[in-house]
Each structure stands twice: as C-alpha cells, then as structure tokens.
C-alpha cells in the first residue's frame, strides 16, 4: 500500500505534468520573440541574484566563488545564445518542395515534442541544472519544462527557480511552462518519467541513474526518449614521439586536467594509454609528482566523496595496478596509477569510470595492443591524442577507433572544458550517452526536443510562418533543393 507521503508526491507530480501538458500546445505556438525575451529575462534575473546565489551554491557544493561565477556566466550566456537562435530562426530547418505533376506540395519543419522533464546535475549546480542547457534548449524549442531539483543543492535550485518564475511573470508566459519539484526520493523521478504527459527526459549524471530512467521510459505503453549524458573515462593516448619530444610538458597539462575541480567533470581524463618504453615510464613518474603536489579540496558532497574513495580503493587493489608517486593522505586525494596492457584487458572493471581526481595509465606492449585496449572500451564523450605527425602516420587505425568511440576527439590538448558553441559535440556512443546522434551543448542541443512534421497540400493561411510562401521570418529555407531566403 502506498504511504500518505508517496501519495502526496504522486499528486504533486500529476498536477505538475498535467499543467505542463495543458501549456504545451500554447507554448509551442508562441512567437519566437516571446520565447527569446523569456530566456533573456531569466538570464537577467539570475544576474540580479548577485552574491546570494553564489554564496548559497558555495555552502551547498564546496565549489569556490571563481568557479561558480564562471558557471553562472556560462548559464546566462547559453540562455542568451538560444534567444539569438530563436530570432535568427533557421534552426527549424524549414524545407519546401512545391507541387509538381507527380508530386504534391510538401513543407516540413521541426515542431516541439511537448513537456520535458529535466533532472538537475550534482556537479554543475547552475550550468546543468535548473536553468541549465537542458532547460534552456527545451524552452527554446517550445516545450514546457518540469525540473526535478538535485538533492545536493536544493536551495541553489530554488533560488534559480524563483528567477525563472519572475521572468515568466514579467514576460506573461503561460502558466505551466516552467515548474520546479523538490524531492529526494527515487519514486518522484520514476513518476515524472512514466507520467503520460511527459514527452522527453534530460539527465546528466551516473550510468546507473541514467539507465534507470531510460528503463522506466522504455516500459511505458508509449516509450519516450531519455537523453542521458552519463560520463565516461575519456581515454587519452600518449604516443611515443610526443612523449619523447615533450613528455614533461604533456605530464603537467594532464595533471592539471585530472585534478581540475577535484576531477568532478564528466570529461575528466580517467584513463591514459601508451606504448611501454623508458620515455613513458619517465612520463608516469613526472605525472605522479604533479598529481601528488596538487592541492586537495572537499568534493561536491559526501556521497560523491564516498563513492570516489570506494572506487579508488577497489581499483588500486586490483591485480597488477601500481600507484605512481605518493598519494596525499588527506581524503579525497588525487592519484594516478599504472597497469600493464595484459592486466587491463583481462579486467573489465578497470575500464569503468572512477569519478574524481584519478587516472589510470595503461602500458601496452606494442601498437597492436594499444589499439586493442582502446577498442575494448565502450563509448566515450571524448578521446584525446597527444601525438606527433609521425605517431599518426605509424598508427592510422587509432583515428578510426576514436571516431567510432567518441563524440569529440582532441588532438594535443585536454578534454576538460566544454565550449558552448555550435561545433561542440557533448555526447557519444553508449554508455557515454543514450543517443549518440545528439549533443547536450550548443544550439544543436535543441534537436533533442523536437520532431519533424510535414504539411502536405496545405493552403498558405494554414501553414506556420516559417513555411508560408512569403518568407516573413527571413530565415534560410531549403526550397526545391536550394537554400534561399527568398519568397516563393
């Protein structure tokens, strides 16, 4: 029998989703200018919170002021980015094929899916949470959003939700376009996903959490998409010529990436691979020194710290794994370890993410084993290569493998730092994400919340503005296989 508390939660979810469902047809048909102004007003309201927002987030997450100020700028910047996208208008990908003798008049564009449930992320209390990229892109697409606040930073989430509510009131946004739910229970998340009004889900977090939500969505009578970004080990290849020519500089750059933000980025390089040689052994020694000299800091919350400590202990206790350098005794400590290619291939647990300031170096015996070890991994958000031209000429298969494995390939650089830009792919083959065709960052993230609809033989007065003969929006359209802004 459900408890009174469970019934209250289910009633809250039901009310929120029904309200979002009622708002969906209205919001999807609103003028792009209103949606753009709403997003810009959210950004302004977040900025108006000033130090209150930052200080609250510091208290709840242990992140420092500089990091959180940067994250707020990223959040408001992407809200304004989507506003600019709406005003420009070509994102709807309007396509028009006028009637021919053997073909009817056909016109196609993207249209909103409907209510979207967004789960706040633990490691980005602003940029991937209440007003983060999922919320911003879904609102831009014309979808109402119901946010489930992350329990690790509830007061921060509530402050941002208040900013969104004030922006909605200022812009006369229809009731139900944005709603905020606070509850720590797993039942709330499940109820949001399985509710019949929910049309899609956005999630950033662990593999177990993402797969649980995906499972609920697929068990519905009408399965819906769950766009889950679930992290990865982000393998980094350190190739022989690069190690020989600039090993110490590479080690310093890798150490900074591994320990950035106490390793709590989904693009943290948790695995490195190279061909065993004297230069690579020296690289590991130098990297270990940099890692152990790095400054320790509290992690986001006790749950993440405990998980990191447990997974690190399990990894370091595995057969053939050796610690490089002397790890800081303070917990949680940054660490780097190494293992042979043979032991790595025989232990699939070493292929899994240890979320925190840790990386495992795999010493492969030759180029063939390096390719084998890389190919043994699942899908990744990123793959990085430290390489000279001679390295890539000698091992061209590595580029083919990284293309298959990752959403973003980095050459001679670190993967930490995800630019909010149209050319950025933040996603990758499973298990990095549940659908590698989409990105969670940049204007193309909006494509997760829309579907194409064709209008056949419609009269001009019944068509959306984007598809009318007169190009009133002035957007780029594909008309009879030619891109143009001209009227028909």
């Amino acid at each position: 029998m459900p408890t009174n508390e469970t019934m209250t939660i289910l009633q809250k979810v039901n009310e929120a989703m029904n309200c979002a469902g009622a708002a969906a047809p209205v919001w999807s048909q609103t003028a792009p200018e209103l949606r753009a102004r709403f997003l810009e007003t959210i950004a302004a309201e977040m900025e108006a919170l000033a130090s209150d927002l930052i200080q609250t987030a510091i208290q709840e997450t242990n992140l420092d002021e500089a990091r959180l100020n940067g994250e707020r700028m990223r959040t408001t910047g992407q809200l304004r980015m989507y506003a600019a996208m709406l005003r420009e208008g070509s994102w709807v990908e309007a396509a028009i094929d006028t009637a021919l003798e053997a073909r009817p008049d056909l016109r196609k564009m993207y249209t909103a899916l409907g209510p979207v449930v967004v789960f706040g992320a633990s490691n980005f209390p602003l940029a991937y949470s209440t007003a983060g990229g999922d919320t911003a892109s879904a609102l831009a697409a014309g979808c109402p959003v119901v946010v489930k606040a992350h329990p690790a930073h509830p007061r921060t989430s509530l402050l941002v939700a208040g900013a969104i509510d004030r922006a909605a009131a200022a812009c006369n946004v229809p009731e139900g376009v944005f709603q905020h739910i606070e509850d720590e229970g797993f039942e709330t998340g499940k109820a949001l996903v399985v509710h019949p009004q929910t049309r899609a889900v956005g999630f950033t977090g662990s593999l177990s959490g993402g797969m649980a939500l995906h499972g609920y969505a697929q068990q519905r009578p009408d399965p819906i998409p769950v766009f889950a970004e679930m992290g990865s080990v982000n393998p980094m290849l350190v190739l022989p010529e690069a190690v020989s020519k600039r090993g110490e500089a590479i080690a310093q750059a890798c150490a900074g990436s591994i320990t950035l933000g106490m390793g709590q980025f989904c693009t943290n390089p948790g695995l490195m691979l190279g061909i065993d040689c004297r230069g690579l052994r020296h690289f590991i020694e130098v990297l270990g020194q940099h890692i152990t000299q790095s400054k320790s800091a509290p992690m986001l919350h006790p749950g993440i710290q405990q998980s990191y400590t447990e997974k690190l202990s399990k990894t370091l206790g595995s057969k053939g794994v050796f610690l490089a350098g002397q790890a800081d005794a303070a917990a949680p400590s940054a660490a780097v370890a190494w293992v042979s290619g043979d032991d790595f291939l025989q232990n699939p647990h070493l292929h899994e993410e240890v979320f925190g300031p840790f990386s495992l170096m795999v010493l492969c015996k030759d180029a063939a084993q390096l390719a084998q070890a890389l190919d043994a991994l699942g899908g990744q958000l990123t793959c990085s290569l430290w390489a000279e031209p001679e390295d890539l000429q000698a091992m061209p298969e590595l580029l083919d493998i990284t293309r298959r494995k990752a959403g973003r390939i980095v050459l001679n650089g670190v993967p930490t730092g995800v630019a909010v830009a149209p050319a950025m792919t933040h996603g990758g083959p499973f298990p990095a994400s549940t659908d590698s065709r989409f990105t969670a960052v940049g204007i193309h993230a909006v494509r997760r919340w829309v579907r194409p609809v064709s209008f056949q033989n419609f009269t001009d007065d019944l068509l959306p503005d984007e598809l009318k003969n007169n190009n009133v929006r002035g957007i780029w359209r594909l008309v009879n296989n030619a891109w143009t802004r001209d009227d028909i």
Side-chain angles (χ1 to χ4, degrees):
M1 292 289 291
T3 65
N4 289 337
E5 182 180 357
T6 302
M7 287 300 296
T8 301
I9 292 168
L10 294 179
Q11 288 167 0
K12 184 190 302 183
V13 168
N14 193 50
E15 289 173 4
M17 294 313 308
N18 285 337
C19 190
V26 180
W27 186 239
S28 67
Q29 297 300 313
T30 54
E33 177 59 30
L34 173 58
R35 283 185 248 163
R37 282 195 292 107
F38 179 36
L39 295 173
E40 289 173 335
T41 307
I42 294 172
E45 288 289 345
M46 285 187 66
E47 289 165 346
L49 289 170
S51 63
D52 287 348
L53 178 61
I54 301 302
Q55 292 305 314
T56 300
I58 288 172
Q59 293 167 15
E60 290 190 313
T61 65
N62 292 319
L63 297 175
D64 62 32
E65 185 172 356
R67 155 69 191 274
L68 288 166
N69 275 321
E71 194 178 326
R72 178 169 58 183
M73 288 177 62
R74 178 191 181 96
T75 307
T76 57
Q78 63 191 6
L79 285 162
R80 293 182 171 113
M81 174 191 72
Y82 286 114
M85 179 199 77
L86 286 166
R87 290 194 175 101
E88 192 279 330
S90 299
W91 72 276
V92 299
E93 296 189 15
I96 299 173
D97 294 302
T98 55
L100 298 175
E101 184 177 343
R103 184 186 71 196
D105 185 276
L106 289 167
R107 306 186 182 213
K108 183 184 75 172
M109 64 180 285
Y110 283 135
T111 190
L113 286 178
V116 171
V117 171
V118 171
F119 288 81
S122 66
N123 59 334
F124 281 87
L126 302 177
Y128 285 91
S129 290
T130 310
D134 287 352
T135 297
S137 58
L139 290 173
C143 298
V145 171
V146 177
V147 167
K148 183 184 182 297
H150 197 283
H153 41 76
R155 290 184 292 126
T156 302
S157 186
L158 194 60
L159 280 174
V160 176
I164 300 175
D165 287 339
R166 288 190 294 277
C171 296
N172 293 317
V173 168
E175 182 183 0
V177 166
F178 173 81
Q179 293 170 93
H180 183 256
I181 289 181
E182 303 166 75
D183 186 84
E184 296 187 18
F186 292 108
E187 285 301 314
T188 304
K190 179 179 179 180
L192 286 165
V193 174
V194 303
H195 195 280
Q197 293 288 357
T198 304
R199 295 291 91 201
V201 175
F203 172 84
T204 299
S206 67
L207 176 62
S208 60
M211 291 311 298
L213 299 181
H214 185 265
Y216 300 147
Q218 296 309 303
Q219 293 163 15
R220 293 169 48 122
D222 56 338
I224 59 171
V226 172
F227 298 104
E229 186 269 283
M230 301 176 288
S232 63
V233 293
N234 303 294
M236 183 177 281
L237 309 184
V238 187
L239 301 184
E241 288 297 322
V243 168
S244 174
K245 293 180 179 180
R246 48 198 170 96
E248 294 200 2
I250 295 172
Q252 184 174 1
C254 291
S257 183
I258 293 164
T259 58
L260 182 67
M262 284 304 291
Q264 297 167 111
F265 290 87
C266 47
T267 53
N268 181 63
L271 185 70
M272 295 179 287
L273 304 99
I275 298 175
D276 195 4
C277 63
R278 181 178 297 177
L280 191 64
R281 296 274 179 163
H282 179 65
F283 169 85
I284 295 170
E285 181 181 345
V286 175
L287 177 62
Q289 291 170 358
H290 282 298
I291 292 289
T292 56
Q293 291 168 8
S294 64
K295 185 178 179 181
S296 184
M299 298 188 83
L300 286 161
H301 57 79
I304 286 182
Q305 179 172 326
Q306 180 179 352
S307 176
Y308 171 65
T309 302
E310 291 173 353
K311 289 183 177 180
L312 178 62
S313 177
K314 180 179 178 181
T315 298
L316 295 178
S318 298
K319 176 188 174 185
V321 175
F322 300 93
L323 192 64
Q326 178 61 49
D328 186 347
S333 59
V336 63
W338 61 271
V339 66
S340 72
D342 288 339
D343 285 330
F344 178 78
L345 287 167
Q346 292 169 14
N347 186 353
H349 292 299
L350 297 179
H351 307 182
E352 299 172 0
E353 180 182 25
V354 177
F355 188 72
F358 170 75
S359 192
L360 177 67
M361 184 83 216
V362 183
L363 277 65
C364 301
K365 56 191 175 186
D366 53 27
Q369 189 174 66
L370 176 62
Q372 184 184 8
L374 180 61
D375 208 23
L377 300 174
Q380 305 292 323
L381 294 172
T382 72
C383 282
S384 304
L385 302 98
W386 292 97
E388 294 292 311
E390 307 95 292
D391 290 315
L392 300 179
Q393 290 166 8
M395 295 175 277
E397 69 277 12
L398 294 181
L399 282 177
D400 293 330
I401 298 172
T402 56
R403 286 190 189 99
R404 287 191 283 108
K405 291 290 178 181
R408 176 164 56 108
I409 307 167
V410 181
L411 180 61
N412 292 322
V414 297
T416 40
V418 180
V420 180
M424 173 58 67
T425 296
H426 190 61
F430 183 84
S433 69
T434 47
D435 196 328
S436 63
R437 297 170 298 171
F438 299 93
T439 176
V441 169
I443 60 171
H444 298 128
V446 76
R447 291 177 180 167
R448 296 172 297 168
W449 321 119
V450 294
R451 62 183 178 87
V453 173
S454 293
F455 299 83
Q456 182 172 325
N457 291 334
F458 268 59
T459 56
D460 202 60
D461 60 305
L462 295 176
L463 287 166
D465 284 348
E466 290 86 350
L467 298 178
K468 293 182 186 297
N469 288 336
N470 182 15
N471 188 4
V472 295
R473 297 284 321 282
I475 64 175
W476 285 104
R477 307 189 296 182
L478 186 64
V479 179
N480 295 327
N481 292 316
W483 288 103
T484 180
R485 283 177 168 166
D486 295 341
D487 297 335
I488 297 173

